[in-house]
Amino acid sequence: MVEADTTGTVIAVRGAVVDVRFDGAVLPAIDTALIVEWDRPEPLVLEVHSHVDPVIVRGIALQATKGLARDTIVRATGEPVKVPVGDAVLGRLIDVVGTLRDNGPELPADTPTRSIHNPPPALEDESSATEIFETGIKVIDLLAPLAQGGKAAMFGGAGVGKTVLVMELIHAMVEKYRGISVFAGIGERSREGHELLTDMQGSGVLERTVLVYGQMNEPPGARWRVPLTALTIAEYFRDQKHQNVLLLMDNVFRFVQAGSELSSLLGRLPSRVGYQSTLATEVAALEERIASVPGAAVTAIQAVYVPADDFIDPAVTAISSHMDSIIMLSRKLAAEAFYPAIDPLASSSVLLDPLVVGEDHYALAERAREALARFEELRDIIALLGVEELGTADRLIVKRARRLQRFLSQPFVVTEAFTGTPGVSVSRTDTLAGCKAILDGEVDDWAESSFYMVGTLGDARAKEAAATKSGATATANDASAKVEVPA
């Protein structure tokens, strides 16, 4: 253990990487915190990354280093970065080192703290995830069900709806989910953080939620460590309070990106596609800590940006290998205005198994996938020759697949202000009933537009009835207008 009064001096600053010299003292251990004693009002915390030689350590800055000069005194704390945890942080917004950022009252003096570096639970102590975690979003609950205590990731390029989907999931869980929520904003825009805080305050969700932010304008060290801060808070509620935790991360790719920036500043040779050579290790160290134990589950839902819509990008494949449920967002569906723009053929889940969801759900999901896959195969033929050139069986499949595709769209609560359409949450039972009716041909005579942006099949029925009535009225008006008035 390093003595608390051990001090050193700054000898080099390269952006977020700072070299500190400790003469005549035991070097601080890896991953311990250093406090820079400078003349700025904001504190500057460094984390020891490596020992360069017997008297110099290399540290990663967790705050901006602008104005940091050589020979500035640095104090070694002898322990890792510690952040406040427990009930006191519920309803609060904190940064990577646990500093309050919501302009609220200070935390109580007796608030417990915990190191951001903790080992994952032993494998024999972890519990498997086999209970369905209903989201109220039809396409997810049907084709890529989430696991209570599992890990799910939403992969998508820029502008296809990842953040909207995360916010809708937060909103959908308010009534159904009675645990603690921890939201980690990793490298996202300041505007999005402010909107989320305001929305949560207005909806009453904030009192059961902790917001942890390392935003886009912060140095890479903050974005690299902020997921660990959020995880530490979630682990405390899991281990000490024995409460279920919903952990939401937006966006995990920014964590990888921050690691890549730091790797370049540290002078390491890049690996595939320019990523850091330690990519797989860093992702595994984060994801393996997200685990459930008997009596307390940590359910993780993560948004992952896909650079240039390249789903075989090394960062994407490294993250996806740790997931139970993979939800792929499609730019093509978003362009066709099918929201949520979730690709039903590319999305998958280990829970879509007859032993977990039941034989009926599994069989219906397979039928839905087969119909949508056949429709996708026939798209080029339809575009060239028209649907009339297809065989009778294929025409029927296309007819039902188009209705199913529209039925799997859904208005969201968080987009009401933009669309004017009230958001809906649909139970898994209603989702299965609606999809079965469409695939069985019970609603073949309904208009396709009746299925678009509705909740249950009952909503579609009401929309169809309203459209039929409106059409009948318009026909009657046209007929009366054509009646000649006798002279």
Side-chain angles (χ1 to χ4, degrees), residues 381-401:
I381 296 174
I382 294 169
L384 289 170
L385 304 175
V387 72
E388 297 80 11
E389 296 301 315
L390 299 177
T392 305
D394 281 342
R395 279 206 306 272
L396 196 60
I397 287 174
V398 169
K399 185 178 185 179
R400 292 173 183 173

Side-chain angles (χ1 to χ4, degrees), residues 293-379:
V293 297
V298 175
T299 305
I301 299 173
Q302 307 171 28
V304 183
Y305 167 70
V306 178
D309 290 341
D310 179 13
F311 287 92
I312 59 170
D313 185 85
V316 175
T317 54
I319 295 167
S320 63
S321 64
H322 294 273
M323 297 298 142
D324 301 313
S325 302
I326 295 174
I327 299 166
M328 295 291 194
L329 289 117
S330 163
R331 189 171 300 282
K332 181 181 175 184
L333 288 172
E336 294 174 359
F338 289 115
Y339 292 103
I342 295 171
D343 189 335
L345 301 177
S347 302
S348 63
S349 171
V350 296
L351 266 73
L352 193 60
D353 185 291
L355 297 175
V356 179
V357 297
E359 291 285 351
D360 293 342
H361 183 160
Y362 179 75
L364 190 63
E366 288 298 297
R367 286 180 63 195
R369 277 220 173 96
E370 286 172 10
L372 292 169
R374 183 60 181 158
F375 173 46
E376 197 63 33
E377 289 173 4
L378 296 171
R379 271 180 179 270

